[in-house]
Amino acid sequence: MPPGTGKVPIVVLVHGSERASALKFYSLQRQLPADGIGVFVYDKRGTGKSGGGYTQNYLLLADDAIAAMNEAKRVAGARTGRTGYQGGSQAGWVAPLAARI
């Protein structure tokens, strides 16, 4: 989260099809807070520090993104402003599915 106590927009970074750790390699988790945007980043199942098996099941991955959004809102609490998803590659399919909920 960016510094301060006021509400901020929050973005959940949705993983692409790569098997690398988002927690380790996604630079937006550092760039966006510097611009006043909160970020929630997580490792896609089967990657990095995440458990489970790697999958390309978009509906299952959308469920994970929805869970990540719920956790982002919980952690941010009263600072939660507008929320949304961001991601490229495979996330271009997963994020719209998650956003429909």
Side-chain angles (χ1 to χ4, degrees):
M1 294 290 282
T5 57
K7 288 188 178 214
V8 296
I10 298 172
V11 173
V12 170
L13 300 180
V14 180
H15 213 286
S17 61
E18 65 275 0
R19 293 178 184 252
S21 169
L23 291 169
K24 196 172 191 180
F25 294 109
Y26 276 13
S27 61
L28 285 177
Q29 67 184 305
R30 294 169 193 82
Q31 293 170 349
L32 293 175
D35 289 327
I37 300 169
V39 174
F40 189 88
V41 63
Y42 62 100
D43 281 334
K44 174 179 160 179
R45 61 177 63 220
T47 69
K49 294 183 178 184
S50 181
Y54 180 84
T55 184
Q56 301 273 340
N57 181 324
Y58 293 175
L59 294 175
L60 185 58
L61 296 172
D63 285 344
D64 292 346
I66 292 165
M69 179 64 77
N70 290 336
E71 182 65 5
K73 290 176 181 178
R74 185 192 71 75
V75 171
R79 293 200 64 202
T80 303
R82 294 182 65 172
T83 60
Y85 297 99
Q86 190 282 334
S89 184
Q90 184 181 76
W93 293 94
V94 174
L97 291 171
R100 291 188 65 200
I101 302 302

